[in-house]
Amino acid sequence: MRVCVVGAGIIGLATAWELQRAGHEVVVLDRDVPGQGASGANGAQLSYSYVAPLAEPGIWAQLPHLLLAPDSPLKLRPRLDPLQWLWGLRFLAACNARSAHQTTGALLQLAAESRAGFERMRAELQPDCDYTTTGKLVLHADAASLQAARRQVELQRALGSEQRLVSPEECAAIEPALDGYHRQIAGAVFTPSECAADCLKLCQALAQALVARGARLHSHAAVSDLVRQGGRACAARTPQGEIQADAFVLALGTASHALGRRLGVYLPVYPLKGYSITLAADGAPGAAPRVSVTDSARKVVFARLGERLRVAGMAELVGADRRIPPARIETLVQATRAVFPRASARFEALEPWAGLRPATPTGRPIIGTLAPAPANVLFNTGHGALGFTLAFGSAARIVAQLPH
């Protein structure tokens, strides 16, 4: 079949890769160039074993802080936007133990499929993307937070994940750059099998490989609508003209909602804004971390990418606002100085970035066909902060569901 993939972030490119491997002719369309959306400078962690959804029961107790505190890592800015309110109400409805457990199980299964697909791609393509397998520590500041983490670890262990709780002293032994800070935490969750990589570099490598193997890639080709004929989609309408195909995969991230509405489908996808900085890492032993680290209290992640350190975090429900307030970047700088004071000597070269993660209220992505959209249109969106982690598993599911 000739399949048109709309969107050249990691979700779209992974989908195009798997479609091409399955023998299909592939066309990729994007309003920008590959990897320039939420994939551009994300947190870089591949969290195959730690997929706790944002919608969990503890959110209820945090609501006053989320709504009112100026320094909250999670931020809700109410707007005159019906989609935001509807999304927010559905999100709160999902903040219960039953929904969180079901979502965790579904995400862990998809993550396992994605790990297999990622490793297959990496063995075949051998991309230069600063890939590491040093594991991940999730730090918890107090006993209550650590106890909640213990329950999540027990749930995920029952579902096949291998991780363990470690003491502050063990944290410093696993990651020497935490020496000094480890006394300020109650403990951590260590997952030895977790990985990290530069998502933008991988997007660029995938795009280059796809074209070299015969795919057509159209940058600066925003899709305004799909042309329908006889109940099926037959072409994508772009400024470069109509692009015909036998099937279409919409992997547009936060833009998926608008195109979905044109097809008669309501997609509960809303932007979850995050920020990052990228620093030159100090190469001295014990200065910058080698192990990926998540500070759960600050909602900040640290990932080593070759000679660089990616620091990313926060989640804001503020609409399609791509501005980068200096205060949010300063928050990431202060977090880095607090946790890893010797990580970098060049805090003036920060490479600040903001991205809009496409999130569903439950945290489960939308993969496959949706009525009343044409049966040859498949959706692949709504992965939130786990897009990089879940990309290749989602892609494999799209290939399996492709109509014949």
Side-chain angles (χ1 to χ4, degrees), residues 207-400:
Q208 183 177 2
L210 285 164
V211 171
R213 299 177 185 200
R216 291 171 57 196
L217 174 63
H218 296 268
S219 297
H220 307 293
V223 174
S224 59
D225 203 353
L226 296 184
V227 180
R228 281 155 282 182
Q229 189 174 42
R232 293 175 66 83
C234 59
R237 187 171 288 134
T238 80
Q240 301 176 14
E242 293 184 357
I243 308 294
Q244 296 184 340
D246 301 312
F248 298 81
V249 181
L250 304 188
L252 282 164
T254 57
S256 299
H257 177 83
L259 190 52
R261 291 304 293 266
R262 293 190 185 94
L263 298 172
V265 173
Y266 170 78
L267 295 171
V269 175
Y270 199 79
L272 200 61
K273 187 179 182 182
Y275 302 88
S276 79
I277 57 177
T278 307
L279 308 164
D282 192 317
R290 294 284 178 182
V291 174
S292 291
V293 173
T294 296
D295 186 325
S296 63
R298 291 183 172 90
K299 299 291 189 293
V300 173
V301 303
F302 304 86
R304 188 66 174 266
L305 298 172
E307 301 307 313
R308 299 168 295 146
L309 179 64
R310 174 70 47 76
V311 185
M314 291 167 278
E316 297 181 350
L317 210 65
V318 295
D321 181 357
R322 297 178 182 271
R323 292 175 298 175
I324 305 177
R328 293 312 241 177
I329 298 305
E330 182 60 23
T331 296
L332 295 178
V333 170
Q334 292 302 323
T336 308
R337 285 179 166 151
V339 182
F340 301 109
R342 298 187 296 123
S344 178
R346 297 177 56 195
F347 277 94
E348 71 280 1
L350 299 176
E351 299 182 31
W353 175 87
L356 303 177
R357 315 175 187 105
T360 65
T362 63
R364 294 196 199 188
I366 299 165
I367 305 169
T369 57
L370 289 173
N376 65 332
V377 175
L378 294 89
F379 298 86
N380 195 2
T381 187
H383 298 76
L386 291 171
F388 195 12
T389 296
L390 302 176
F392 285 86
S394 302
R397 291 189 181 186
I398 287 291
V399 174

Side-chain angles (χ1 to χ4, degrees), residues 51-56 87 90-96 99-104 106-107 268 359-366 382 386:
V51 295
L54 185 61
E56 51 90 21
W87 190 97
R90 290 188 174 188
F91 172 78
L92 291 175
C95 291
N96 61 78
S99 177
H101 288 186
Q102 290 177 341
T103 297
T104 297
L107 293 180
T360 65
T362 63
R364 294 196 199 188
I366 299 165
L386 291 171

Side-chain angles (χ1 to χ4, degrees), residues 81-127:
D81 181 354
L83 177 60
Q84 185 197 50
W85 284 89
L86 182 56
W87 190 97
L89 290 172
R90 290 188 174 188
F91 172 78
L92 291 175
C95 291
N96 61 78
R98 180 172 176 270
S99 177
H101 288 186
Q102 290 177 341
T103 297
T104 297
L107 293 180
L108 281 174
Q109 177 59 45
L110 182 55
E113 297 169 18
S114 200
R115 183 196 288 271
F118 185 95
E119 291 302 326
R120 184 171 57 242
M121 174 279 301
R122 199 170 66 86
E124 184 175 340
L125 185 58
Q126 298 184 355

